[in-house]
Amino acid sequence: MKQLEILQKEEQQLQSKEESIANEEKQVRRIKESYEQHLHEARHFLDNLCYLFHKNEQGTFYQSLMDEYSQESRKILEHLEIDETELHDQKKRVLDQLEDIDYEKRKLLVEEDTNEC
């Protein structure tokens, strides 16, 4: 019975950890979606500026600005995607551990039932 209590305690800790990771995952997803929306709005704004730069023969300045903006935006999105992937992997590992504990608990309960008979 002592082993079962240990497994239940470990299971509770893992469930708490899984919940925490799931919340972080949602937060990263919300940040990513918000960033993508801001990225779209900023690109629209910069596209509107394009006309003014070309009109004033400042096309090279605009192009360098757009290149830098695109590069930095890609970096940020890549970092968010990496964070999202790492959280997903952590969550999967925790869920696998929970499955292992569930298996061990069932095994202990079956052993107890056979010992009582």
Side-chain angles (χ1 to χ4, degrees):
M1 198 62 159
K2 186 74 172 168
Q3 234 177 347
L4 186 59
E5 291 173 7
I6 292 171
L7 287 173
Q8 287 174 332
K9 185 176 181 179
E10 190 176 337
E11 181 181 40
Q12 289 172 344
Q13 291 172 340
L14 286 171
Q15 286 172 339
S16 175
K17 186 175 181 178
E18 188 267 332
E19 186 178 313
S20 174
I21 291 171
N23 288 336
E24 285 182 56
E25 224 176 4
K26 288 176 188 174
Q27 186 177 10
V28 168
R29 209 172 299 120
R30 282 192 302 263
I31 290 170
K32 185 178 168 187
E33 289 169 359
S34 176
Y35 182 77
E36 286 173 340
Q37 177 63 32
H38 290 297
L39 178 67
H40 175 73
E41 291 170 5
R43 182 164 298 282
H44 181 70
F45 174 76
L46 289 173
D47 285 341
N48 287 338
L49 287 178
C50 174
Y51 174 73
L52 296 174
F53 282 111
H54 286 295
K55 185 177 175 182
N56 293 323
E57 298 178 9
Q58 297 286 329
T60 56
F61 175 72
Y62 170 79
Q63 190 58 46
S64 65
L65 180 68
M66 281 302 294
D67 290 346
E68 185 177 340
Y69 172 76
S70 295
Q71 183 179 10
E72 291 301 316
S73 297
R74 274 193 304 271
K75 284 181 189 177
I76 292 169
L77 280 174
E78 285 173 6
H79 285 291
L80 288 171
E81 288 172 2
I82 288 169
D83 289 347
E84 194 174 26
T85 301
E86 287 175 358
L87 287 170
H88 179 74
D89 291 346
Q90 286 178 16
K91 185 176 176 182
K92 182 165 177 20
R93 283 192 298 274
V94 168
L95 290 173
D96 288 345
Q97 290 174 325
L98 282 168
E99 286 179 15
D100 292 344
I101 288 174
D102 191 46
Y103 172 76
E104 289 297 320
K105 283 173 47 179
R106 284 193 313 263
K107 192 167 100 175
L108 281 175
L109 292 172
V110 166
E111 287 175 9
E112 284 181 11
D113 285 346
T114 56
N115 289 339
E116 288 178 4
C117 294

